[in-house]
């Protein structure tokens, strides 16, 4: 009996010790995460960040986005793409908007950013904000909020987006290739790039659904058409693409494009997934979403349920928009989105 009691006490003591160790490890992990957070100087972003400093900031952005959309419909697509190309590279910090001047080399000259446009309208929105609240709203927040409102104009969901980002004082041109996936990369590499900013497989598949709107330059398509047609392309669709892209070596500066989605080219919907399941995806990465067992089930689910696609797209875009915000010390609020402040 004494042996049994001692054994039970021993087990109880070990159980308590294990629980204490686990608690200690959890606390240490929490402390490590806090240290990690402050070591990299992550900035504070929150909902309604400008509620006191510029109460109408988000409404001003929305009004300008709507006005520009009715004047230049393609701006809504540009806002989403700009957010992606900015936030995937180190931080959501509007570094992509910087021009080449005073030792800065613009990210716009990267081949990964070929075809990017409508940057000048970001300045239009920023100018409207400056008239109401000078030196208050960052260009990085203009990028994020315009993308949010652009999604709605394209028939997508409204996303509650945090604000308070700061603008970068430097370009990240040299690091773009290491952060921004290419359309010809393997699907596993693309997934790893998105995972590095906290977006899982499901979210990656959803974000690539942004390909349901806008267009792609022929320079990014011709490898699937010449010298021979990619056998995974639908034959009729391949003929259409050849009509849009008749040369195996198109001029990157020429206006030679093909639409991602012929049925609803300006609607953010799940037609993209239906198309790629029928071998009508423009880019190699689109086709790989269907052929890879890691992603194919998500493609099928999103093709079957537009609401599910919108839900996952919202979550993933929100995660992307919050990537590594700069601290007050590391960033600034630019007067002009094209240039670092001079004073």
């Amino acid at each position: 009996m004494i042996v049994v009691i001692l054994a039970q006490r021993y087990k109880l003591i070990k159980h308590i010790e294990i629980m204490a160790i686990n608690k200690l490890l959890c606390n240490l992990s929490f402390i490590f995460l806090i240290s990690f957070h402050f070591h990299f100087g992550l900035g504070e972003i929150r909902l309604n960040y400008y509620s006191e400093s510029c109460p109408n900031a988000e409404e001003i952005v929305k009004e300008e986005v709507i006005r520009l959309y009715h004047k230049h419909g393609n701006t809504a697509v540009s806002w989403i793409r700009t957010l992606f190309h900015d936030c995937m590279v180190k931080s959501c910090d509007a570094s992509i908007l910087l021009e080449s001047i005073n030792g800065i080399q613009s990210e716009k000259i990267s081949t990964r950013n070929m075809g990017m446009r409508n940057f000048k309208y970001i300045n239009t929105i920023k100018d409207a904000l400056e008239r109401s609240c000078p030196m208050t709203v960052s260009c990085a927040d203009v990028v994020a909020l315009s993308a949010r409102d652009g999604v709605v104009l394209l028939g997508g969901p409204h996303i509650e987006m945090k604000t308070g980002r700061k603008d970068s004082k430097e370009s990240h041109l040299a690091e773009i290739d290491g952060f921004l996936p290419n359309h010809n990369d393997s699907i596993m590499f693309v997934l790893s790039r998105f995972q590095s900013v906290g977006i899982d497989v499901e979210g990656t598949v959803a974000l690539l659904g942004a390909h349901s709107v806008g267009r792609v330059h022929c320079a990014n398509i011709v490898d699937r058409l010449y010298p021979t047609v990619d056998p995974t392309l639908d034959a009729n669709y391949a003929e259409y693409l050849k009509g849009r892209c008749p040369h195996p070596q198109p001029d990157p500066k020429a206006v030679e494009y093909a639409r991602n989605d012929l049925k609803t080219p300006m609607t953010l919907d799940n037609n993209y997934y239906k198309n790629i399941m029928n071998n009508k995806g423009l880019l190699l990465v689109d086709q790989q979403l269907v052929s890879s067992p890691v992603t194919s089930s998500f493609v099928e689910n999103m093709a079957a349920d537009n609401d599910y696609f919108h839900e996952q797209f919202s979550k993933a875009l929100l995660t992307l928009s919050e990537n590594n915000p700069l601290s007050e010390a590391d960033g600034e609020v630019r007067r002009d989105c094209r240039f670092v402040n001079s004073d």
Side-chain angles (χ1 to χ4, degrees), residues 173-230:
L173 175 64
E175 290 114 328
I176 286 179
D177 287 355
F179 285 92
L180 201 61
N182 194 22
H183 62 92
N184 286 327
D185 287 331
S186 72
I187 190 61
M188 296 311 294
F189 180 80
V190 172
L191 291 173
S192 72
R193 290 293 84 212
F194 279 94
Q195 181 64 51
S196 71
V197 297
I199 299 172
D200 60 14
V201 175
E202 187 176 30
T204 301
V205 176
L207 272 186
L208 287 173
H211 290 177
S212 69
V213 292
R215 58 188 189 172
V216 173
H217 196 283
C218 289
N220 293 326
I221 304 170
V222 290
D223 286 348
R224 302 190 71 199
L225 301 174
Y226 305 101
T228 58
V229 173
D230 183 337

Side-chain angles (χ1 to χ4, degrees), residues 271-290:
N271 266 345
Y272 165 74
Y273 303 101
K274 296 174 183 177
N275 287 337
I276 62 177
M277 288 179 68
N278 290 316
N279 298 320
K280 294 181 180 179
L282 281 180
L283 302 174
L284 186 60
V285 69
D286 299 328
Q287 184 58 42
Q288 289 184 73
L289 283 182
V290 180

Side-chain angles (χ1 to χ4, degrees), residues 220-288:
N220 293 326
I221 304 170
V222 290
D223 286 348
R224 302 190 71 199
L225 301 174
Y226 305 101
T228 58
V229 173
D230 183 337
T232 62
L233 269 175
D234 174 84
N236 292 330
Y237 188 60
E239 285 304 308
Y240 156 75
L241 293 179
K242 279 191 167 185
R244 300 294 302 176
C245 306
H247 313 291
Q249 294 181 320
D251 180 357
K253 297 181 180 179
V255 183
E256 293 186 345
Y257 294 88
R259 290 283 184 185
N260 291 330
D261 178 3
L262 298 180
K263 290 185 177 180
T264 55
M266 292 297 289
T267 304
L268 187 68
D269 59 17
N270 64 342
N271 266 345
Y272 165 74
Y273 303 101
K274 296 174 183 177
N275 287 337
I276 62 177
M277 288 179 68
N278 290 316
N279 298 320
K280 294 181 180 179
L282 281 180
L283 302 174
L284 186 60
V285 69
D286 299 328
Q287 184 58 42
Q288 289 184 73

Side-chain angles (χ1 to χ4, degrees), residues 86 92-99 104 107-108 122-123 126-127 129-130 133-140 142-143 165-172 326 331-343:
D86 183 46
C92 288
D93 57 10
S95 61
I96 194 173
L97 302 179
L98 290 171
E99 298 288 353
I104 288 176
E107 294 177 24
K108 299 173 189 176
I122 291 283
N123 285 325
K126 173 66 169 172
D127 289 343
L129 289 163
E130 287 297 302
C133 312
M135 293 298 294
T136 303
V137 182
S138 68
C139 299
V142 174
V143 169
R165 298 165 187 80
K166 296 297 180 285
D167 299 325
S168 176
K169 300 177 184 178
E170 59 184 7
S171 166
H172 306 314
L326 297 178
E332 64 180 6
V333 174
R334 293 188 213 134
R335 289 189 181 90
D336 186 318
C337 292
R338 298 169 298 173
F339 312 110
V340 173
N341 294 335
S342 57
D343 56 351

